[in-house]
């Protein structure tokens, strides 16, 4: 629901932060402080959608998704539920 201008500004700010970052923890900490478990599960679902854009799951992508779920304090069931939802939506 963002305007193109706001979306571009957010992407630019994120790219700046990414260039200055050392690890994922600083981003996960902010998400954990400001998002509900349901919102964090929605983030993981969106990330699964990105992972499966090419139709394949690489072992490094799988590793990263598990790492991000842990950083966001989501359990394995939440991670797999989001993955299954994405795969189900892709098959329809």
């Amino acid at each position: 629901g963002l305007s193109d201008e706001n979306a571009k500004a957010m992407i630019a700010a994120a790219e700046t932060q990414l260039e200055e970052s050392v690890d994922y923890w600083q981003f996960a900490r902010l998400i954990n402080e400001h998002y509900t478990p349901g919102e964090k599960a929605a983030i993981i679902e969106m990330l699964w959608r990105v992972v499966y854009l090419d139709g394949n799951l690489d072992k490094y992508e799988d590793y990263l998704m598990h790492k991000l779920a842990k950083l966001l304090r989501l359990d394995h069931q939440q991670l797999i539920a989001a993955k299954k939802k994405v795969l189900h939506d892709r098959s329809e």
Side-chain angles (χ1 to χ4, degrees):
L2 294 174
S3 70
D4 285 345
E5 185 178 309
N6 285 341
K8 288 177 184 176
M10 288 182 71
I11 290 170
E15 287 173 346
T16 299
Q17 288 291 319
L18 183 59
E19 288 173 10
E20 297 172 0
S21 70
V22 178
D23 60 23
Y24 300 125
W25 170 245
Q26 64 183 335
F27 300 111
R29 181 182 53 81
L30 290 172
I31 292 169
N32 285 328
E33 288 176 3
H34 299 286
Y35 288 75
T36 66
E39 290 169 327
K40 293 188 292 185
I43 290 170
I44 288 293
E45 183 181 320
M46 286 187 278
L47 292 171
W48 275 124
R49 291 187 191 286
V50 172
V51 165
Y52 278 106
L53 278 175
D54 64 358
N56 296 309
L57 174 62
D58 181 90
K59 66 180 179 181
Y60 300 108
E61 292 169 327
D62 189 55
Y63 170 80
L64 179 60
M65 291 302 295
H66 281 82
K67 181 176 182 170
L68 292 173
K70 283 184 181 181
L71 287 170
L72 295 179
R73 300 179 190 142
L74 296 173
D75 62 34
H76 187 72
Q77 288 178 329
Q78 291 168 301
L79 176 69
I80 298 305
K83 179 180 178 180
K84 285 182 177 179
K85 183 176 186 315
V86 168
L87 290 173
H88 178 265
D89 291 350
R90 287 179 51 83
S91 68
E92 291 185 342

